[in-house]
Amino acid sequence: MTGSGEDAHRTPGRLAALLIDASTEAIGAGGGHAGGVYLRSSTPGMLRLAVLAGLPGPLFRPWWRLHADRPFPVADAYRLGVQVVLPNATETMRRYPQFAAGLPFQFGSLYVPVVGTSTTFGVLTVLRPTAADATEVLAERERVARVAEVLARRLEDLRDTDPVAWDGEPMCVRPPTAHASAGRLGRFAWDPATGVVTADAHLHALLGVAPTEFGGTVEALARAVAPDDTQHVLAALRETAASTPSLPLYVRAADGGLRLMEFWTPETSSTASGARPVRGFVLDPGPGSAADAAADLLPEGVFCLDRLGLVTYANPRAAQLLRRPRDVLLGHPLWDGVPWLAQPDFEDHLRSALLSPEPVHLHVRRPPDVDDAYEGDWLALSVYPGPDVLTCTVQPTSRMPDSADTFEAAKTGTSSLAPLYRPIVLAIALTEAVTARQVSAVVMKELLPVFGGRRLAIYLLQDRHLYLAWESGFPPGFLAPFDGVGLDTHLPGVETLTTGKPLFFDSMQQLTDAYPGIPLDATEGARAFLPLIASGRPVGSCILGFDRPRTFTGEERSVLTALTGLIAHAMDKARRYESEAALARGLQQALLPRRLTDHPLVETAGRYLPGTQGMEVGGDWYDVVEAGDGLALVIGDVQGHGVQAAATMGQLRSAVRAFALGDRPPDEVMSGTNHLLIDLDPGQFASCCYIRLDPVTGLARVARAGHPPPLLRNPDGSTRVLDLPGGVVLGVDPGARYPVTELRIEPGAVLALYTDGLVERPGIDIDDGISALRVALARAGAPTARLAGVADWLTAAARHAADRPDDIALLLATRRRQR
């Protein structure tokens, strides 16, 4: 490997090491049990979780990627450059209901931006025990802020030679242990330059090898620690020496017991070969410990997980009930050892145990087995959180109650399944709803059936009156007299909003006693009147109706009250949507070109597809402009969606047109537009690709600002990605430079410019999306095919997709053959 290749390999390791160190230090400084670092990515506006410390990655996959404009605490800390302190679950629900709905557990959190001299790199996060209010965590917040400052300085130094961004999956690491281990622990050091391994007396005793008998090599160490796992140990040590962080490693000793190994590189200079000295320890919890021996004899199943989800202990009964051999369980992630436990309800409960101190209890159903010698299909699982280990018990139980049993339980006032409702389902569905009717339909489908409700009415506040926005299940015309009532009317739907307190009536008799003379429908069931309040602003009220009397438990009341905060925010968003949608659509029509500039030697075709979420309009644009005796082909993408993104897009489009009409060089066009955007909105950024094409000679001069690379289909049908050098996105660095690349466009060749909405999909790497578009361009008919048909071909799949999270712009150009 060449020297430059080694440098390229070491740099990701340096970045990873900095982030891991900062994460674990922040957890200690913030008094937390888990945390991590979100870092900006190469995709504008996208944050990625780079390090997750103290939590298993697969359980938190929905939070691996996050747009900077989403209403989440990490996004606010990054976008606004402010610290966000959420001392408890109540404050989290009040300020960030969507985030709280996804993780509705008792924990507090800190979010501190990592801010450099000219940019924000990312956000340090710490998850910690709850506190009464933010004043109780002032000291912890200041300590985490100091960690963020040090990390920012180190990232600044790293950025001098390499970009600081994260585009991969998060690294899952173990935080510092809360308590000293009761097992035996020995330490060692390895110098790759000399190949010498030195071990302390504790490690020699643990391995049962006298210092005079120890070979002193890394191979000897691996054989002594884990004779059957030596290759895994050697690979992990070499990765660590190359500055590629290694995850904690569970290996088996000669007697079959489990050992834990961890490695790290100290902050010292590397050796001449580039490898760095490695330090590590070996922990042997003791296979014959009295505790394990006692647990082995228990009649109920017991198993233990560390904070990364690895099974560290399982007694024989647990292995029998989980239907997995102990050697398959030990040292493996639980979801690998017991794949059928990958059930949404169990994952929610396990997340709860990892984030909050309270034990959780649930029932799970085992899959059928051909030779089923085990009693019952259902298992009762309990998870008891600890600072470093989660202890789980499992035992057979009778079947879970069916829907009829649940209804009877609700009727008689006993505990129902309603508190087990997964709020994340409602949160996700409400995020996708953009009109008042869509929000109401989501509540009717996702919320009401869980609590056994049959009726729903939603009223929205306008000019101090409540107007009926949705009704379902009530007799025809029954709610008409309540439509448009003023806020001074003595009705429960009004008073729940004016007081901000939910009202629960177990029966119609209770409702009549509280509001004499109130009109009633034919049923005798219970009613719940819930205020819809979003960030302190009254939005309306929600009425849930039940066919029979029932008792609302304290847990059900809490869940319903919390979920109405989500509904209120969704309704508030929907109300703003109705008023802004017309403006956004008008901007969209006005700012995109009605027709492209024509030239006898160049054919062009453009397509724009709005996203199907929010305002359905974003900041993507394309244009073709006369530039002296040539043409300027332009495509760009402003961060975000809605009116602001569209307005910024219009300003940038006008600026680029002005520069192009003056026939300014491409690098000057990019630099001038960059300065304009910084002056207009320092918090906004955009990507852009500008090509100045000479129609006669085919000479194209290209400048890019953080935009996906163009594609070129040659006249012979071969297609390639034009991986041209470029500068950073517009609006970030006033001193940014934008190199210009020259290439020749042959007659009949097709040049394709596009925005990332056409090639990026959740869970799919953008490079794979670009490759798929290149293949589609190659198959888009003969070189003589008209560009309009090619453009339709390339956008067909996106045009018919029901879900487009981002808008899409496409611009094609080809030189006509001269006659």
Side-chain angles (χ1 to χ4, degrees):
M1 182 179 292
T2 64
S4 60
E6 290 176 354
D7 290 341
H9 177 73
R10 284 200 299 270
T11 299
R14 289 178 57 200
L15 175 60
L18 289 176
L19 299 178
I20 291 174
D21 289 347
S23 297
T24 54
E25 187 177 352
I27 292 172
H33 46 68
V37 180
Y38 278 88
L39 209 64
R40 63 184 185 177
S41 69
S42 60
T43 301
M46 180 70 74
L47 301 175
R48 287 184 180 267
L49 185 59
V51 176
L52 181 61
L55 295 172
L59 277 187
F60 293 86
R61 184 180 292 272
W63 295 271
W64 285 9
R65 293 159 41 114
L66 185 67
H67 283 281
D69 58 355
R70 295 293 301 277
F72 282 80
V74 169
D76 279 358
Y78 177 82
R79 188 180 65 256
L80 304 176
V82 299
Q83 299 174 14
V84 177
V85 181
L86 302 174
N88 50 54
T90 301
E91 183 70 5
T92 304
M93 176 61 77
R94 185 184 70 82
R95 295 177 58 185
Y96 298 97
Q98 289 186 16
F99 173 66
L103 297 170
F105 313 124
Q106 295 297 323
F107 68 97
S109 51
L110 303 173
Y111 307 86
V112 178
V114 181
V115 183
T117 56
S118 60
T119 188
T120 300
F121 293 108
V123 178
L124 268 178
T125 69
V126 176
L127 308 183
R128 60 183 315 281
T130 60
D133 54 49
T135 59
E136 290 191 11
V137 293
L138 285 177
E140 290 85 351
R141 183 179 67 178
E142 292 175 359
R143 289 196 292 267
V144 176
R146 288 195 290 270
V147 176
E149 291 172 2
V150 173
L151 177 60
R153 289 196 296 269
R154 292 177 175 176
L155 294 180
E156 287 278 9
D157 294 339
L158 185 62
R159 191 176 64 164
D160 291 340
T161 56
D162 295 279
V164 176
W166 196 266
D167 291 303
E169 296 183 356
M171 299 177 290
C172 299
V173 300
R174 182 174 285 98
T177 57
H179 304 288
S181 172
R184 297 180 297 161
L185 185 143
R187 301 181 183 276
F188 66 89
W190 172 44
D191 185 355
T194 62
V196 174
V197 173
T198 57
D200 65 9
H202 298 291
L203 184 57
H204 285 300
L206 186 156
L207 299 178
V209 178
T212 56
E213 299 174 355
F214 182 59
T217 66
V218 69
E219 291 80 10
L221 172 69
R223 285 194 301 271
V225 174
D228 295 329
D229 288 325
T230 55
Q231 294 306 315
H232 290 154
V233 175
L234 291 173
L237 284 165
R238 288 162 182 158
E239 287 176 0
T240 306
S243 295
T244 301
S246 173
L247 292 178
L249 188 66
Y250 280 103
V251 295
R252 293 196 176 282
D255 60 3
L258 210 60
R259 286 172 173 170
L260 171 66
M261 301 186 74
E262 291 204 26
F263 319 108
W264 64 90
T265 54
E267 289 292 333
T268 59
S269 59
S270 60
T271 65
S273 65
R276 302 176 68 184
V278 175
R279 303 289 185 269
F281 68 76
V282 179
L283 173 65
D284 188 344
S289 68
D292 285 2
D296 281 352
L297 301 177
L298 290 176
E300 65 179 355
V302 178
F303 62 96
C304 298
L305 310 173
D306 71 3
R307 295 200 63 84
L308 296 187
L310 298 178
V311 180
T312 59
Y313 168 77
N315 72 353
R317 181 59 168 159
Q320 181 189 41
L321 291 173
L322 297 176
R323 298 178 178 171
R324 306 294 287 173
R326 293 177 79 181
D327 60 348
V328 173
L329 293 173
L330 293 175
H332 295 89
L334 180 61
W335 33 90
D336 289 347
V338 192
W340 58 265
L341 271 181
Q343 304 177 24
D345 193 45
F346 175 68
E347 291 178 351
D348 269 357
H349 282 80
L350 189 53
R351 277 190 284 262
S352 174
L354 286 162
L355 295 177
S356 56
E358 298 300 322
V360 296
H361 312 278
L362 73 155
H363 294 76
V364 294
R365 188 168 193 171
R366 293 184 304 196
D369 192 47
V370 176
D371 299 320
D372 198 344
Y374 307 100
E375 57 269 45
D377 290 330
W378 289 93
L379 297 176
L381 266 170
S382 296
V383 184
Y384 299 90
D388 304 314
V389 175
L390 281 68
T391 302
C392 310
T393 63
V394 55
Q395 53 189 329
T397 186
S398 59
R399 68 181 179 88
M400 291 288 286
D402 58 24
S403 58
D405 296 331
T406 303
F407 178 78
E408 289 301 315
K411 183 180 70 173
T412 58
T414 58
S415 178
S416 75
L417 290 178
L420 298 181
Y421 172 67
R422 298 177 63 237
I424 191 172
V425 176
L426 180 64
I428 294 173
L430 287 177
T431 299
E432 299 173 351
V434 295
T435 67
R437 291 189 62 82
Q438 289 174 344
V439 172
S440 302
V442 167
V443 175
M444 189 70 194
K445 177 182 177 182
E446 302 290 351
L447 175 62
L448 203 59
V450 177
F451 291 87
R454 297 292 187 270
R455 292 166 170 76
L456 172 68
I458 294 180
Y459 289 83
L460 296 181
L461 180 64
Q462 182 179 351
D463 298 329
R464 294 188 58 80
H465 288 76
L466 285 173
Y467 294 93
L468 185 63
W470 175 278
E471 65 168 308
S472 179
F474 288 94
F478 173 74
L479 296 178
F482 305 103
D483 192 14
V485 296
L487 294 186
D488 55 352
T489 309
H490 183 60
L491 289 171
V494 173
E495 293 191 11
T496 189
L497 180 61
T498 56
T499 64
K501 298 179 179 180
L503 302 174
F504 296 95
F505 301 97
D506 295 348
S507 66
M508 282 297 184
Q509 185 60 50
Q510 284 189 4
L511 179 60
T512 303
D513 293 344
Y515 294 88
I518 185 173
L520 304 176
D521 56 4
T523 66
E524 292 296 328
R527 291 289 184 270
F529 296 83
L530 307 170
L532 300 181
I533 300 174
S535 302
R537 298 188 307 274
V539 175
S541 58
C542 176
I543 304 173
L544 306 182
F546 302 83
D547 288 343
R548 303 183 185 184
R550 60 162 292 161
T551 298
F552 295 93
T553 66
E555 192 170 8
E556 287 176 329
R557 294 181 183 220
S558 298
V559 171
L560 280 171
T561 302
L563 292 179
T564 52
L566 285 178
I567 299 169
H569 276 271
M571 277 295 183
D572 192 41
K573 180 188 71 174
R575 189 166 53 181
R576 293 196 305 270
Y577 171 88
E578 299 291 351
S579 60
E580 294 180 10
L583 174 60
R585 295 191 190 99
L587 277 173
Q588 175 187 355
Q589 295 300 322
L591 296 177
L592 290 172
R594 296 181 181 275
R595 65 178 185 85
L596 298 177
T597 299
D598 195 19
H599 192 283
L601 297 180
V602 178
E603 180 186 356
T604 58
R607 295 291 183 270
Y608 176 82
L609 299 176
T612 56
Q613 300 175 2
M615 291 289 103
E616 297 188 1
V617 60
D620 291 18
W621 90 93
Y622 61 87
D623 209 348
V624 179
V625 189
E626 292 183 1
D629 56 358
L631 285 180
L633 309 173
V634 189
I635 197 161
D637 183 0
V638 177
Q639 170 207 13
H641 299 83
V643 175
Q644 180 181 359
T648 302
M649 176 266 280
Q651 292 171 311
L652 293 188
R653 176 173 176 257
S654 298
V656 173
R657 285 185 67 87
F659 288 131
L661 289 170
D663 203 12
R664 300 274 291 275
D667 56 334
E668 293 186 16
V669 174
M670 290 291 94
S671 296
T673 309
N674 179 45
H675 284 286
L676 174 66
L677 181 55
I678 292 174
D679 292 339
L680 285 174
D681 187 349
Q684 187 71 276
F685 57 84
S687 66
C688 186
C689 183
Y690 182 94
I691 301 179
R692 202 278 188 188
L693 175 64
D694 186 329
V696 177
T697 65
L699 177 66
R701 305 184 70 235
V702 186
R704 283 201 304 145
H707 201 81
L711 303 179
L712 181 66
R713 190 183 74 184
N714 297 311
D716 62 2
S718 62
T719 309
R720 60 191 175 103
V721 179
L722 300 178
D723 192 9
L724 310 174
V728 298
V729 293
L730 305 173
V732 173
D733 182 4
R737 297 182 179 276
Y738 300 95
V740 176
T741 303
E742 293 187 353
L743 62 142
R744 190 77 58 178
I745 309 297
E746 299 295 332
V750 176
L751 186 66
L753 308 179
Y754 53 93
T755 56
D756 56 8
L758 187 58
V759 294
E760 189 174 36
R761 291 291 181 272
I764 299 177
D765 190 88
I766 191 172
D767 291 336
D768 294 336
I770 293 174
S771 297
L773 181 62
R774 180 187 62 80
V775 172
L777 180 61
R779 296 174 177 174
T784 57
R786 290 193 58 82
L787 282 193
V790 176
D792 290 337
W793 167 270
L794 296 180
T795 57
R799 191 167 56 251
H800 294 100
D803 179 23
R804 288 193 302 272
D806 200 1
D807 46 344
I808 293 170
L810 172 70
L811 177 62
L812 303 179
T814 184
R815 290 178 61 212
R816 296 187 175 102
R817 290 181 171 82
Q818 301 185 46
R819 298 179 179 177

